[in-house]
Amino acid sequence: MTDQHDPWAERTVEVPPGGPQNPFRSGRAQVGPARPAEPAGPYVPTGTGWPGETGTIPRPVFSEELRLFRRGARLMLTGALFAFVCWGLWAISDGGNLGTPFALFVLTGLVALGLYALARVVGRVVLEKQLGRVRRSARGAHLVTAVFLAGVGIAYLRQIDWVVSAWSWFAGLF
């Protein structure tokens, strides 16, 4: 005799009169009532985004932020190298004391860093806050700073007499 509450007890299975049934045969599922195709209420645009959306973009962790910062850094480094070479040519061709030209180059570097920071802040306000986009690099800020530094380098070159005369001679050929 088997106990009904004993999970290890042997159970007897009654076989239907047609023989054992295939457990993998097709069956019929219950179908519930169809859901309405339209949402319960119409969506009213309020300018705050989709319903349930918080509107905040999660900030990446510091290591990810640093990796994103490095994207585009070659542009700025190229502009800085060009400005440095042009500054060096200008400082050497002027002759005399290098204190004032060095102070001018440091000031130019600080202005470039300020321009980079301003471009990053504008990118954060415009792209992330206003447009709701995620910035994946700092290429725009690096590009703006590189263009500024290239312009500074050209301004240094325009103050060197032999470069201006060589450029005038070269332009006169065409």
Side-chain angles (χ1 to χ4, degrees), residues 82 90 109:
F82 179 73
W90 172 71

Side-chain angles (χ1 to χ4, degrees), residues 30-159:
Q30 285 185 333
V31 179
R35 288 196 258 170
E38 301 268 336
Y43 173 70
V44 179
T46 59
T48 59
W50 290 99
E53 185 178 285
T54 60
T56 59
I57 298 172
R59 301 293 309 155
V61 294
F62 182 71
S63 61
E64 181 72 15
E65 186 85 23
L66 190 60
R67 187 179 67 82
L68 295 177
F69 166 76
R70 289 181 184 158
R71 285 188 180 174
R74 289 181 186 161
L75 292 169
M76 188 169 67
L77 291 176
T78 303
L81 181 64
F82 179 73
F84 178 73
V85 168
C86 295
W87 169 81
L89 289 173
W90 172 71
I92 292 172
S93 70
D94 189 32
N97 189 7
L98 290 178
T100 303
F102 181 74
L104 185 62
F105 187 70
V106 169
L107 182 65
T108 302
L110 291 175
V111 170
L113 287 176
L115 181 65
Y116 175 78
L118 179 67
R120 290 287 290 173
V121 168
V122 167
R124 177 171 293 175
V125 168
V126 172
L127 287 177
E128 289 184 359
K129 303 291 182 190
Q130 298 294 327
L131 299 177
R133 292 182 51 198
V134 176
R135 290 188 298 175
R136 291 183 176 85
S137 70
R139 285 188 185 118
H142 285 296
L143 180 65
V144 167
T145 309
V147 167
F148 169 75
L149 289 171
V152 166
I154 290 172
Y156 283 134
L157 286 179
R158 291 185 69 190
Q159 294 180 9

